[in-house]
Amino acid sequence: MSIAENLDRVRSSIQKAALACGRNPSSIELVAVSKFHSIDEIMQAVSCGQKIFGENRVQESLEKFPSILESNSEISLHLIGNLQRNKVKKILPFVSCIESVDRSEILEEIGKESNRIQKHVSILFEFHTGEESKAGFQTRDSLFSAIDLLEKYPFLTVKGLMTMAPFTSDTSRVRSSFKSLSQLQRDCISRYPMLDFSCLSMGMSSDFEIAIEEGSTEIRIGTAIFGERQQ
């Protein structure tokens, strides 16, 4: 199938999953994960109306997206992979959102650089809910300590939380992962009523229907749109 056909199928599946659990499909954003895919493939998705793209690696993002963003002002780039402190300066001018803020040190680096260049950037706090993945804040206390640092960085805007479910065919474990992030969202809203925690970025090609049932407002889809990645 073509990228256009794949996007149609994914959008239809999102709509079906949302309606099945009584949700408005328009409340769920689609991030097309373009890691290991070419500028041409990305532009095929753009031509089908896709506006938000997610990349895992800084270097690959810098090889593809400056030219795309320059000629397509409606397109936005989210960094969804692990970010090292020494690469913050390189990527910050090109991203609208960093979804993988997983430790206080990287939050502070992003905050300092956003202050320096005076660029507003949205962030999601990544929380560890999957046993196989080590990414994300490991405890609620460490997350809350990081959130408390936001007052120092006026150019950072928190939008919510992100997680990766365990890579397993056991749907009960996947659902438990998403449920735990939904509960954490409620706790953050209660604890920080002045901040925006409306975004729940959870769900990928293999599990986004479950994520939608558990309240996801943003799903990250790569394979189901672009096909298998070519390294």
Side-chain angles (χ1 to χ4, degrees):
M1 281 190 172
S2 68
I3 288 173
E5 291 171 320
N6 288 343
L7 264 172
D8 282 344
R9 189 173 69 251
V10 167
R11 289 166 176 161
S12 176
S13 296
I14 292 171
Q15 182 177 44
K16 182 178 178 181
L19 293 174
C21 59
R23 295 186 59 194
N24 185 340
S26 66
S27 68
I28 302 161
E29 286 193 314
L30 172 61
V31 176
V33 180
S34 47
K35 174 184 177 183
F36 295 142
H37 292 286
S38 66
I39 291 176
D40 178 65
E41 290 172 298
I42 293 167
M43 292 310 299
Q44 288 181 52
V46 170
S47 70
C48 299
Q50 181 60 33
K51 298 186 184 304
I52 308 175
F53 292 85
E55 285 279 335
N56 294 66
R57 300 179 179 182
V58 168
Q59 186 57 45
E60 184 181 352
S61 302
L62 295 175
E63 291 169 359
K64 297 188 295 190
F65 274 90
S67 61
I68 293 174
L69 295 170
E70 185 177 5
S71 56
N72 298 274
S73 59
E74 76 280 12
I75 300 306
S76 61
L77 173 63
H78 290 198
L79 188 73
I80 61 175
N82 178 262
L83 178 59
Q84 297 173 341
R85 292 174 64 184
N86 63 356
K87 294 184 178 179
V88 169
K89 289 183 179 180
K90 296 178 180 179
I91 195 63
L92 206 61
F94 302 102
V95 293
S96 64
C97 181
I98 297 176
E99 299 199 10
S100 49
V101 176
D102 60 356
R103 58 201 187 281
S104 292
E105 294 80 8
I106 198 65
L107 171 70
E108 292 184 295
E109 195 69 30
I110 297 166
K112 290 174 184 176
E113 183 62 14
S114 68
N115 284 352
R116 188 185 73 81
I117 66 175
Q118 297 191 331
K119 179 184 177 180
H120 291 279
V121 180
S122 298
I123 62 169
L124 301 181
F125 288 101
E126 182 176 2
F127 195 76
H128 173 84
T129 63
E131 295 175 14
E132 288 81 5
S133 171
K134 293 183 171 60
F137 285 92
Q138 301 289 312
T139 67
R140 293 159 61 91
D141 285 346
S142 63
L143 171 64
F144 294 154
S145 294
I147 295 171
D148 290 339
L149 296 172
L150 282 171
E151 63 182 4
K152 297 161 54 178
Y153 306 113
F155 289 92
L156 295 187
T157 302
V158 61
K159 291 295 186 182
L161 304 169
M162 185 266 264
T163 198
M164 294 181 64
F167 297 104
T168 175
S169 58
D170 184 347
T171 58
S172 65
R173 289 176 59 201
V174 173
R175 190 177 298 278
S176 176
S177 169
F178 295 150
K179 279 183 179 294
S180 66
L181 196 73
S182 294
Q183 180 59 56
L184 181 60
Q185 179 195 41
R186 292 190 287 271
D187 293 343
C188 287
I189 290 171
S190 176
R191 186 181 178 107
Y192 301 97
M194 73 296 294
L195 298 178
D196 180 7
F197 279 92
S198 58
C199 180
L200 276 184
S201 178
M202 57 188 195
M204 299 189 293
S205 292
S206 61
D207 55 22
F208 69 85
E209 290 95 344
I210 300 173
I212 289 172
E213 291 173 5
E214 297 302 332
S216 177
T217 64
E218 180 190 285
I219 57 176
R220 310 178 303 272
I221 305 293
T223 303
I225 295 173
F226 294 106
E228 292 299 326
R229 294 167 174 169
Q230 300 297 319
Q231 295 195 38

